Every structure is written in structure tokens, then in C-alpha cells.
Amino acid sequence: MSQGTLDPFQKPSQPTPADEVAAPANRWWVLVVISIAQLMVVLDATIVTVALPDAEADLHMSEANRQWVVTAYALTFGALLLLGGRVADFWGRKRAFVWGMVGFAVASAIGGAAQNEGMLFGARALQGVFAALLAPAALALLTVTFTEAAERAKAFAVYGGISAGGAAIGLLLGGVLTEYASWRWCLLVNVPIAVLAIAFAMPLLRESRAEGDTKYDIPGAITVTLGLAALVYGFTRAAEESWSDSLTIIMLVAGVLLLALFVVIQQRSAHALLPLRIVLDRNRGGSLLAMLLIGAAFIGSTLFMIYYMRIVLEYGAVKAGAGALGITVGVFITAGASASLLPKIGPRIPLVVGSLLSAGGTFWLTFITVERQYLTHVLPGMVLIGLGLGLVFTAVASTALIGVEEHDAGAASALINAVQQVGGALGTALLNSFATSAISDYMSDKEAELGPRLADPAIAHKTFVDAQLDGYTTAFAWAVVIMVVGAVVAAVFVNAGKDALPKDGAAVHVG
């Protein structure tokens, strides 16, 4: 397909190496386009977090249901990411990229115009579906565009930096848009970004696709998505009713059975979404399980860090978004240091120490009160969490690719992000369930204790704030437990030596 052809959706011919490389004059513009897309996908995981209290009040969400704004996106994104990468490879990477941008923009517009919680949740889930198509297509296009080693390293450094910094940008941008415009603009802002990216992508990007069988593991994709959704719904139902509620039990059992069925499908499928050999490797499976647990605890507890600043400390959206940046500072400090540390000591120690540091920072947050000062009682905990996460993320990115075969490199690379997203979805739902139950129990006890005195506005407000604090600290305490379990998993399963490194090219392919 020659440069300048405006129809990106015509069926591509089998590309030669020359076809897959953008002309020297425009390959850096291709990087700009792909970076814009990646930034949009990454920041959307955090941009709504700061705005969530406003959206919750505007759409009259329940405390149990509010987590769907976060989990609906993370769940569909993570569950469909492997399938999205395979579709992009065989359907056409440019085609997948452009349609992914279009779909993401439409879903964002629907979410920004949401009139009720169901409409918002559905839009967020749809965003996740198209993000699962867009993200691997963008990474694959980057790979086939930059074929010279030095330039590819620079391009991936830019891409990685955006991926790492996108969460921080999302928190700040979400705060600014919420405070000075509306929470709806945290979604609507994606529309002009996507239009701009599409306008440049059409003439700049060249089509490419992989050779081979184009069959997809649709049954696997359906069962894993439904299984995860059932678990999240079960956690939500437990917060609304109880853990002994019949529907709660039914959904949790259904979720486990569907995930078990997914494993069976993967064992028997000739086109498995997730070849089980990838996760059955001791080091890879152990590091990914640790990432699942750490991601669940961290992303889940982030929701309550923001709510603490917004509801209890009464920070504005911008101040709350900036207040969460202590975690980002910590990540950048240790992520850079651990990259040079891994070849000297191996991945196990950074994984274990990082998990325990994050657990310690989260434990620090269990002591929050209305009177606690941010600089002395909140920020240190956040920085400590970030220091731990920097060690964990770098070690997992390396360990999860140790010894991976070339034909599994794409799936192994995508699985790192998929596990983080899925962990975040499950962790947010589970911790929100614990927090909501604690808040409900606290209010019930106080209603019985105070009786008519709760009609006094001052007493009612203090009781409400105290109940929120009880819920938040309960969530933090459970997050600590999950992180410690993650540290134990890393200590038991990860035994790769300091000389174990991923095979060449393992980190730059998308499957």
C-alpha cells in the first residue's frame, strides 16, 4: 500500500519488509500519532478517578456500584487485550488502530453524555473493548515502523515514558477538567484527541499484517470476560446485600466455574487466546501472579486515597489529583534504579522488597484521621507505595519474558498489561465491597447508639465522615494483606538468577 492512499481499510497484501517500514521522512510523526493514542488509553484508567465523587453525586450512584466506573473499563480492556492483539495482527494493524480510535471516541462521547449510571458503566466497558484493540495495534505499528535497533530503542523509550507517566497526567487532567469544567469532560476530552490522531494516522500509517492462520479463540474470550464480570458483580452484590446472599454466592461460583472453563478451552484450543505454557513457567507464572495481587491491592486502594482527599479532607479536584502524585514520584525513583539493579541481584529480591514496601506504605494509610496532615501522614505513605511499585513493575516486566519463545513473545508481553488491568478490576470491586460493608455497619451501629441525635446536622456530618474513614481504612488494611500475599508468592515461585534475561525481541512483539 503506497503512502498517501486514503483508504486504510482495503485488504492488505502480504507485506514485504520494505512495505512495513514508514518512509524515513515521516516515521517520527508516526511515533507522535501512536504516542497520542497510547496516552489516551493510559490516562483513561485514572482520569475518571478524581472525578468519580462528582459523577457519583450527579448520577446518584450507590457506594457499592460506583466502582463499576473503574472496573468496567479495566475488566474489558484486560480480558480482551490478548484477543485484540491477535485481531490487529491478522485483520491489519492500521485498520485496527483507526477503528479502535473511532470506537474509543464514540464510547467516550456516550460516557460524557451519560444520563444514568448504567449508561456510564456501559460506555466505560465499551471504551475498554476498543482500547483492547487499539493498544496492541499501536505497539505493533511501532515495531514494524522502527526496524533499526538504535531508533527502535528511542521510540520504545518514548512509548514507555508515556505509558509510565500517563497515570499521573490522568490524575492532574482529571482534576483540572472536573474543577473548572465538568466531570463529563474527563470522557469527552477523548473525542478531539481521537479526531486529531485519526486525521494524522490516515495518511501517515502503512498497513501491515502477520501471516498465518487467522482463526480466533472467541469461546476463550467470551468465557474469561464473563467469568471476570461475574466475580466483579458478586463482589458488588456482597456490598449491597451480604456475602451470604444467594445471588452473591451464585455469581461468585459462576465466575470461578467460567474461569475454570476458560482454562479447559485453552488446553484444547488450537488457537488458544492464552497458551498455558506461558503461565506454567515457574518464574513467569509467579511474577504475573504477584503482579495480579499487587495491582489489585494498589489500584483498588487508589480509589479510596482519592475519596479520602475529596470527601474527608475536602480537597478540590485539582488538589486531590496533585495529592496523589507522591506515588508517581516514588515509581520514577525506583523504576530507573531497579533497571540497573536487576542484572546484579536478579528479580526475586526487588519483587519481594517492592511488594513489602508498597504494603508498608498502604499500612501507613490505615492511620488516617480527619486531623491528619497531608505532608506528614499521607504523602509519606504514598511515596513508599510508589517506591515499592517501581521495583515490582520493573522486575515483572523482565521476569515475565525470561525464556519466552519467539512465537509466544507477543502474548507474554500483552499478558503483563492484561494481568495488571484484570487485577485492578477485581481489586477495586473487592476492596470497595469491604469498604462499603464497613461503612454500612458503622452507620447502623451509630444509628442505634445516637438515635434522634442524628437529626442534628453537625452530629450527622461527623458520623458520616467517621463512617467513611472506617470504610477507607478497612480497604487499606485488606490491601496490605493482599500485597503481603503477593510478596510471599514472589518469594516462593520466582527463582530466576541474575543472568536470566529475556530473549532478544521478546519485548517488542504483539501477539
Side-chain angles (χ1 to χ4, degrees):
M1 182 176 177
S2 62
Q3 183 181 350
T5 301
L6 296 180
D7 178 12
F9 308 123
Q10 71 180 55
K11 184 176 180 180
S13 58
Q14 295 297 343
T16 65
D19 291 330
E20 292 184 340
V21 182
N26 68 25
R27 64 188 180 280
W28 296 108
W29 283 108
V30 170
L31 176 61
V32 172
V33 172
I34 292 174
S35 298
I36 291 173
Q38 176 65 7
L39 178 61
M40 186 177 70
V41 169
V42 173
L43 67 80
D44 240 70
T46 57
I47 193 171
V48 298
T49 305
V50 179
L52 190 49
D54 296 75
E56 179 185 350
D58 193 16
L59 300 182
H60 308 291
M61 300 179 202
S62 67
E63 289 180 332
N65 280 337
R66 66 189 177 192
Q67 51 82 23
W68 281 108
V69 177
V70 177
T71 57
Y73 178 76
L75 192 153
T76 52
F77 187 9
L80 297 176
L81 190 56
L82 289 170
L83 178 63
R86 188 168 176 82
V87 170
D89 276 348
F90 294 116
W91 192 43
R93 290 146 183 160
K94 177 179 179 178
R95 181 184 299 184
F97 181 89
V98 174
W99 277 115
M101 292 291 292
V102 171
F104 200 93
V106 170
S108 299
I110 294 172
Q115 299 302 303
N116 53 63
E117 61 179 32
M119 188 175 175
L120 179 58
F121 301 158
R124 288 287 286 168
L126 194 60
Q127 279 186 312
V129 171
F130 284 103
L133 180 64
L134 173 61
L139 187 57
L141 284 167
L142 202 63
T143 301
V144 299
T145 298
F146 291 90
T147 57
E148 196 274 322
E151 288 192 345
R152 175 178 283 184
K154 292 178 182 178
F156 272 88
V158 173
Y159 182 89
I162 289 173
S163 298
I169 296 172
L171 289 169
L172 287 175
L173 183 59
V176 171
L177 291 173
T178 300
E179 189 157 326
Y180 297 108
S182 164
W183 67 266
R184 296 181 181 278
W185 275 101
C186 293
L187 295 164
L188 294 175
V189 70
N190 292 319
V191 177
I193 294 176
V195 170
L196 179 65
I198 292 169
F200 282 97
M202 298 280 275
L204 285 175
L205 299 181
R206 291 190 174 192
E207 187 60 282
S208 70
R209 64 174 181 177
E211 298 181 14
D213 194 340
T214 58
K215 292 183 179 179
Y216 307 115
D217 182 15
I218 301 301
I222 292 174
T223 51
V224 71
T225 304
L226 291 179
L228 293 171
L231 288 180
V232 171
Y233 183 81
F235 296 152
T236 305
R237 178 76 181 183
E240 293 177 326
E241 301 296 333
S242 70
W243 288 97
S244 60
D245 173 70
S246 59
L247 184 56
T248 299
I249 296 172
I250 289 172
M251 295 307 297
L252 293 176
V253 171
V256 172
L257 291 177
L258 283 167
L259 293 178
L261 178 59
F262 170 71
V263 173
V264 173
I265 292 173
Q266 300 313 288
Q267 287 177 324
R268 300 181 177 181
S269 175
H271 312 279
L273 188 66
L274 174 59
L276 294 183
R277 60 182 174 271
I278 294 177
V279 294
L280 291 179
D281 175 85
R282 174 174 181 162
N283 285 291
R284 194 154 43 249
S287 64
L288 289 172
L289 179 56
M291 170 66 91
L292 180 77
L293 293 167
I294 300 302
F298 163 62
I299 297 175
S301 58
T302 299
L303 177 68
F304 301 102
M305 297 178 199
I306 296 297
Y307 264 84
Y308 171 67
M309 289 186 284
R310 294 290 315 272
I311 303 299
V312 177
L313 299 184
E314 298 182 342
Y315 285 0
V318 174
K319 191 174 181 179
L325 294 182
I327 297 174
T328 304
V329 171
V331 169
F332 279 117
I333 290 173
T334 51
S338 61
S340 58
L341 193 65
L342 282 172
K344 299 177 182 178
I345 63 173
R348 175 192 270 175
I349 293 176
L351 266 174
V352 174
V353 172
S355 300
L356 293 177
L357 279 174
S358 293
T362 307
F363 180 71
W364 187 296
L365 296 177
T366 61
F367 296 100
I368 56 174
T369 68
V370 178
E371 293 79 19
R372 295 295 189 189
Q373 295 298 310
Y374 172 82
L375 289 178
T376 56
H377 294 90
V378 179
L379 181 61
M382 289 187 173
V383 172
L384 198 58
I385 291 170
L387 292 173
L389 291 176
L391 292 173
V392 170
F393 290 163
T394 307
V396 169
S398 174
T399 310
L401 295 172
I402 290 176
V404 69
E405 297 298 330
E406 184 72 15
H407 57 274
D408 288 332
S413 299
L415 192 58
I416 299 172
N417 290 325
V419 163
Q420 186 176 347
Q421 294 294 333
V422 168
L426 294 176
T428 300
L430 183 61
L431 294 184
N432 188 66
S433 176
F434 290 145
T436 302
S437 296
I439 291 170
S440 178
D441 291 343
Y442 187 95
M443 290 300 296
S444 296
D445 291 343
K446 284 299 180 180
E447 286 172 2
E449 176 187 337
L450 298 175
R453 284 185 292 169
L454 273 178
D456 184 313
I459 295 177
H461 177 72
K462 182 180 184 304
T463 302
F464 169 78
V465 171
D466 289 343
Q468 297 299 310
L469 277 172
D470 191 61
Y472 304 160
T473 53
T474 298
F476 293 144
W478 278 105
V480 171
V481 172
I482 296 171
M483 287 177 174
V484 171
V485 172
V488 172
V489 167
V492 171
F493 289 100
V494 177
N495 63 355
K498 61 182 181 180
D499 296 326
L501 294 172
K503 293 186 178 182
D504 290 342
V508 296
H509 291 277
V510 175

